[in-house]
Amino acid sequence: MKEFFKFVFASMVGFVLSFIVLFIFLAAVLTAVITSAGRETKADVKPGSVLHMKLDFPIAERTDKNPFANMDFFHLENTKLPGLNDILASIKKAKTDDHIKGIYLDLTSLQAGQATVEEIRNALLDFKNSGKFIYSYSEVYAQNAYYLASAGKVYINPEGLLDFRGFSSQMIFFKGTLEKLDIEAQVIKVGTYKSAVEPFILDKMSDANRQQVTGFLGSMYDHFLEKISASRRIPKTSLAKIADSALIRNARDAVNYKLADGIRYKDQVLEDLRVLTGTEKDKNVNSVNLKTYAPTAEEKSSSASDRLAIIYASGEIISGDGNEETIGSERISKAIRTARLDKKIKAVVLRVNSPGGSALASDVIWREVVLTKKVKPIVVSMGDVAASGGYYIACAADSIFAQPNTITGSIGVFGIIPNMQKFFDNKLGMTFDGVKTGKFADLGTVTRPLTEAEKMIIQKEVNDIYSDFTIKVGQGRKRSPAYIDSIGQGRVWSGTEALKNGLVDRLGNINDAVKSAARKANIKEYKIVEYPSQKDPFHALFDNSADKISDYLTKKELGSNYLYYQQLKSALQFTGVQARLPYSITIN
């Protein structure tokens, strides 16, 4: 027995020591990650270098300083992924960097929305004015990737593929799924085109929804063809015919129809770059990647006393603080308020990239925009999407900029309350009973269907919110509520269409919005400050770490199907009355 206890004791001591050693090791690794994250290093760019732009990651509006945002939790590795702000800054920096001879685009797996690609493409075209080269190579070009590549020379693998067949948009419908589960989606909405509810009550697109999608998708496609036509010097009608007939079926077709400049293997690409940069034959081309080339804080700094604030509002709109991937009403309204009260900040640019969300949270942010407009210029720059609640928070600004392929509008309101009575009864064998002190005390419960009186109460609330929405848009755009209603009704528009109907003021990028805000404030020299402030690495470590690990594992498991999981998860989290875009739009 004595030997037994000795063995048990020894095992316990070994376990405790192993745990301590492991804890110290993990602490050391995490400390190293945090320390490196807080330290910026300037890239060592040698003469005759190439800026290698490999855009194989989701492009956010700005670089996330959280060292754990892109952490591989199995290998404890972190990769800094530059946001759109740093990508644009890098291209601008490379234009005047004498050591950079050109840009090499690696677009095998581009992950960005249409307006984001537009911003990068415009920056590349500006870079091209310096006389430096832009060289693109890929084994497979999706249409978004090709649009970006068309800013320069385009080369493709001999066995590669260039997708050029036109745009398509697809919705997922859950009606059949809900019916199998005996769940009824009780819908209350305002807006003929407000199709966010359609996936829950229909099994295909309504005529009104099909009409609006045909409109904005056609507008975006027309812009796509127009810009490629200008870059490749191919008539737009010819490009449309090539796409409609699916004439690009292999790499040789791409060259024959002049969409690509040549066929190359990777070794030939490297040889081309060697010649373009004047690199000696037996030496490797000097290259620098976006992750290290982006301007450091020191390079971005300015001695100007005046400041211009850029406030990033990206993601779904929710109540509370939110994070880098959502627009929390508390966090964003505080950021706008901080910029408004800071006397050194002379103007504000609100960068909106949002499909909308909570109508209440949107109104909280709208109020801060209105108050800011009274004391200093505030200009909105729209990203890939600024629709519904995303447009709500933008409409009061002095001026609104959008890209031609920005998705906007969707001025409409809806609410969904599931009736799960049959699900609980038929699938789970559960029934509910209770006591209430008033007729409407349990209004909104999911355990029974709504009564007609309850439906009328909720419909009135939705109608009132829609009326308020159109009035506020009318005030911001200097139009009558009746006119806003005529272009509202939940209808989605492209940026080009929105310019024509008065929902936006100009087509342009975030830099155009910044310049406009500076002019309105009568300032020429200014320092740009970004809000909301990002959390320091130590706080980021403990910020929803369990959710991040769970999300990481889900992405690993689902791969490209993660998009559908996100859409379903988002739909199930609707609370309160929503001002939200009907769907996510992906164009390959």
Side-chain angles (χ1 to χ4, degrees):
M1 183 63 71
K2 183 177 180 181
E3 290 299 320
F4 172 76
F5 282 114
K6 185 186 294 184
F7 175 77
V8 172
F9 179 74
S11 298
M12 290 176 62
V13 171
F15 174 78
V16 171
L17 289 175
S18 298
F19 178 80
I20 292 172
V21 170
L22 179 61
F23 177 80
I24 293 172
F25 172 74
L26 290 174
V29 171
L30 293 174
T31 301
V33 172
I34 292 172
T35 302
S36 63
R39 184 175 60 246
E40 287 188 299
T41 55
K42 188 175 181 179
D44 181 20
V45 185
K46 298 177 181 179
S49 292
V50 169
L51 176 59
H52 182 192
M53 291 180 58
K54 187 172 184 178
L55 303 175
D56 59 347
F57 52 88
I59 299 176
E61 285 293 326
R62 61 171 172 169
T63 304
D64 194 339
K65 294 180 181 179
N66 177 1
F68 304 99
N70 305 294
M71 173 69 74
D72 182 333
F73 289 95
F74 287 125
H75 301 96
L76 287 178
E77 294 177 354
N78 175 265
T79 302
K80 179 184 177 184
L81 301 181
L84 178 62
N85 60 336
D86 277 341
I87 292 173
L88 298 178
S90 295
I91 297 172
K92 183 179 180 181
K93 176 183 174 182
K95 180 182 178 181
T96 57
D97 189 337
D98 293 335
H99 287 179
I100 296 292
K101 295 298 181 182
I103 290 177
Y104 168 43
L105 295 174
D106 185 343
L107 304 173
T108 302
S109 181
L110 178 64
Q111 301 178 51
Q114 287 285 95
T116 296
V117 171
E118 187 78 18
E119 295 252 11
I120 298 173
R121 189 177 189 273
N122 288 338
L124 290 173
L125 291 173
D126 180 63
F127 170 87
K128 199 174 177 180
N129 291 332
S130 66
K132 299 178 181 182
F133 68 84
I134 298 175
Y135 190 110
S136 173
Y137 171 77
S138 182
E139 295 174 1
V140 178
Y141 286 99
Q143 290 185 110
N144 239 7
Y146 177 70
Y147 183 64
L148 190 57
S150 66
K153 294 288 185 179
V154 181
Y155 295 92
I156 186 171
N157 184 280
E159 299 301 321
L161 174 68
L162 193 157
D163 187 3
F164 198 80
R165 295 170 296 161
F167 289 178
S168 65
S169 177
Q170 190 174 57
M171 291 182 68
I172 306 172
F173 293 86
F174 306 113
K175 179 190 175 187
T177 304
L178 296 178
E179 286 177 347
K180 289 179 183 296
L181 295 172
D182 279 335
I183 298 174
E184 175 195 7
Q186 301 170 111
V187 171
I188 296 93
K189 69 164 186 169
V190 176
T192 303
Y193 298 93
K194 196 63 179 178
S195 50
V197 299
E198 288 188 3
F200 307 100
I201 58 176
L202 301 177
D203 53 16
K204 63 180 182 180
M205 298 171 73
S206 67
D207 291 340
N209 191 20
R210 191 175 297 278
Q211 177 191 357
Q212 73 171 343
V213 175
T214 300
F216 72 71
L217 202 65
S219 173
M220 294 167 69
Y221 184 51
D222 185 70
H223 175 77
F224 173 83
L225 293 177
E226 184 179 306
K227 292 301 180 181
I228 291 176
S229 173
S231 294
R232 301 299 302 175
R233 297 179 182 176
I234 304 172
K236 190 163 74 170
T237 52
S238 297
L239 289 172
K241 183 179 179 180
I242 290 170
D244 290 346
S245 304
L247 297 178
I248 309 299
R249 301 176 187 177
N250 53 52
R252 291 178 295 280
D253 290 338
V255 175
N256 291 338
Y257 285 101
K258 303 186 185 305
L259 267 69
D261 295 288
I263 293 173
R264 295 285 192 277
Y265 283 106
K266 192 63 175 283
D267 62 290
Q268 293 173 310
V269 170
L270 296 176
E271 182 59 35
D272 288 347
L273 292 176
R274 190 176 287 114
V275 173
L276 289 168
T277 56
T279 304
E280 294 180 20
K281 192 170 184 179
D282 296 329
K283 292 187 177 180
N284 293 326
V285 175
N286 296 319
S287 68
V288 58
N289 62 50
L290 281 171
K291 297 165 187 175
T292 57
Y293 188 71
T296 62
E298 183 180 352
E299 290 175 301
K300 292 179 182 177
S301 65
S302 168
S303 59
S305 57
D306 291 335
R307 297 179 181 179
L308 187 149
I310 299 179
I311 299 172
Y312 290 92
S314 183
E316 292 197 22
I317 302 173
I318 60 174
S319 295
D321 285 338
N323 51 41
E324 284 293 306
E325 298 175 354
T326 58
I327 301 175
S329 58
E330 287 297 317
R331 185 167 180 255
I332 298 301
S333 59
K334 179 181 178 182
I336 300 173
R337 185 163 56 251
T338 299
R340 180 176 78 249
L341 298 177
D342 189 335
K343 293 183 179 180
K344 290 184 178 180
I345 294 176
K346 305 302 181 183
V348 176
V349 170
L350 178 61
R351 174 68 172 186
V352 180
N353 193 349
S354 171
S358 165
L360 174 58
S362 300
D363 193 65
V364 170
I365 298 170
W366 169 86
R367 173 64 177 172
E368 291 297 333
V369 173
V370 170
L371 293 175
T372 301
K373 185 179 179 180
K374 292 179 180 179
V375 296
K376 61 186 65 173
I378 180 166
V379 175
V380 164
S381 168
M382 292 179 170
D384 294 320
V385 56
S388 205
Y391 188 78
Y392 195 136
I393 67 176
C395 68
D398 289 293
S399 185
I400 300 176
F401 285 73
Q403 291 286 12
N405 38 28
T406 294
I407 295 296
T408 189
S410 192
I411 301 169
V413 185
F414 73 91
I416 300 177
I417 299 177
N419 169 22
M420 302 177 68
Q421 185 181 63
K422 290 183 179 179
F423 168 76
F424 287 127
D425 190 2
N426 299 339
K427 305 299 183 183
L428 302 180
M430 296 169 59
T431 56
F432 296 82
D433 197 4
V435 176
K436 57 184 179 180
T437 60
K439 183 178 178 181
F440 301 110
D442 63 342
L443 190 156
T445 179
V446 300
T447 62
R448 62 170 177 79
L450 291 168
T451 66
E452 289 303 314
E454 289 172 330
K455 288 179 181 178
M456 289 179 63
I457 289 173
I458 299 173
Q459 185 67 64
K460 185 180 184 305
E461 181 186 357
V462 169
N463 291 347
D464 289 345
I465 293 174
Y466 178 71
S467 175
D468 189 47
F469 194 170
T470 54
I471 289 171
K472 287 173 177 174
V473 172
Q475 290 171 345
R477 304 308 301 160
K478 297 179 174 59
R479 300 292 186 102
S480 69
Y483 174 75
I484 299 301
D485 178 59
S486 72
I487 61 172
Q489 292 290 318
R491 180 153 186 174
V492 179
W493 307 94
S494 71
T496 300
E497 292 173 316
L499 178 65
K500 292 176 182 177
N501 64 32
L503 288 179
V504 306
D505 295 290
R506 284 184 58 189
L507 298 179
N509 57 31
I510 189 169
N511 288 329
D512 295 323
V514 168
K515 291 175 183 177
S516 174
R519 284 195 299 271
K520 290 179 183 294
N522 294 316
I523 56 174
K524 294 183 178 180
E525 299 292 331
Y526 50 88
K527 176 181 179 179
I528 290 179
V529 291
E530 296 182 350
Y531 293 97
S533 300
Q534 293 182 318
K535 293 183 178 180
D536 64 75
F538 285 97
H539 281 91
L541 172 60
F542 302 103
D543 182 25
N544 299 321
S545 56
D547 291 340
K548 289 171 184 172
I549 295 173
S550 175
D551 201 43
Y552 171 81
L553 294 173
T554 305
K555 285 181 182 178
K556 281 281 188 182
E557 182 67 23
L558 297 179
S560 60
N561 293 319
Y562 181 73
L563 170 66
Y564 305 116
Y565 164 78
Q566 277 186 309
Q567 291 180 7
L568 180 57
K569 182 180 177 182
S570 174
L572 294 174
Q573 291 176 337
F574 287 165
T575 57
V577 178
Q578 299 286 310
R580 192 185 186 282
L581 188 68
Y583 29 67
S584 298
I585 298 164
T586 303
I587 297 172
N588 294 317

